[in-house]
Structures are given as structure tokens and as C-alpha cells.
Amino acid sequence: MTPLTGYVGYSLRRAQGVIFADFNQTLSELKLRPAQFAVLLMIDQNPGASQSDVSSALGIQKANFVAIIADLEQRGVVRRRKSESDGRTYSLSLTPRGRGLLVHAAQLQSLHEARVTAQIGQEGRLQLLGLLERLSALR
């Protein structure tokens, strides 16, 4: 126990580190990082969305997002197309290979989520999600 244990930010950061480490390990067999999983999920749920819209929704800086998309495109899982209405904008979609990767990643993510929930119980999970949502509203 450290003097920092009573601080919300410190405890939150420590928990985040544990959760991210587990999620990274979970996705490692697919050579997929958590941010890439989030991008694939957003594109799947919003086909044709622009790069700008997806990066904003996920809070990923433009330079970092461009690198993520370039990697996913090189792997053949994401397709970028210039918008017909605005040649400066790219719309994003998953390829069939990308859909398959996302299905497999989502199955692994469910296992990860189950491990996390096992630590705090379903009621604790719902309570934690509510509290985190309230903290996110501080912006």
C-alpha cells in the first residue's frame, strides 16, 4: 500500500494498466492492438464514416489515427475510399477479411470482459461503468 492508494486517479490508472495488459495479451494472437480493435468496431458499426469522424469518436489524434489506418489497410482489413462529394475526405469500410478479424477479436474481447467481470461481479461491473461514465462527464 502506498500513500497514493487513496487517490481516485492513481487507483484508476493502476486498474487501467492491469486491464490493458490483459486485453493486449488477449488480442496478441491476432497481432491486433486495443486501439485497432476499437477502430475496426467503429468502422463496422458506421460503414462509410470518414477518418475524421472515427478518430474524433475514439479520441485518437489525427497523426496516430493515420498510422493505425495505414497499418489496417496494409493488412487488407480496412478499405479507404475518397468521398465522391469531397475529394479530401476518405470513407472507411471493412473488407471481408476485416469482418472475419473483427468477429474473432470480438470473441476474444468477450473472454477478456468475462475475466474482468469475474473480479468484480456483474453488479460491480454495472456500478463501475456508471461511475466511469459520470467521471467522463467532467470534461
Side-chain angles (χ1 to χ4, degrees):
M1 186 146 149
T2 75
L4 299 172
T5 304
Y7 292 111
V8 172
Y10 177 77
S11 295
L12 190 58
R13 178 64 184 102
R14 284 187 49 121
Q16 178 194 23
V18 170
I19 298 228
F20 270 39
D22 183 78
F23 195 37
N24 273 318
Q25 180 63 36
T26 299
L27 294 177
S28 67
E29 72 180 68
L30 301 178
K31 296 181 176 37
L32 198 63
R33 295 185 311 274
Q36 292 172 316
F37 172 75
V39 168
L40 292 175
L41 192 58
M42 284 295 296
I43 294 170
D44 183 59
Q45 297 297 309
N46 303 281
S50 71
Q51 288 185 187
S52 178
D53 289 342
V54 175
S55 67
S56 291
L58 294 173
I60 299 174
Q61 294 179 354
K62 186 177 179 178
N64 296 337
F65 189 76
V66 169
I68 290 171
I69 290 298
D71 181 57
L72 293 173
E73 191 175 34
Q74 184 179 15
R75 290 176 64 179
V77 297
V78 168
R79 183 177 300 120
R80 285 189 312 165
R81 289 199 175 119
K82 280 194 179 188
S83 170
E84 293 177 16
S85 60
D86 180 358
R88 299 170 296 160
T89 302
Y90 285 94
S91 65
L92 302 170
S93 60
L94 296 183
T95 65
R97 183 179 191 173
R99 274 195 181 64
L101 178 64
L102 179 58
V103 165
H104 192 176
Q107 292 167 343
L108 293 174
Q109 192 280 333
S110 291
L111 296 173
H112 160 77
E113 192 76 12
R115 283 192 298 276
V116 172
T117 301
Q119 292 296 311
I120 58 176
Q122 185 61 25
E123 186 176 319
R125 177 184 175 276
L126 294 173
Q127 183 179 15
L128 179 60
L129 288 172
L131 291 170
L132 292 171
E133 188 64 33
R134 286 173 53 191
L135 286 174
S136 295
L138 289 175
R139 284 191 196 203

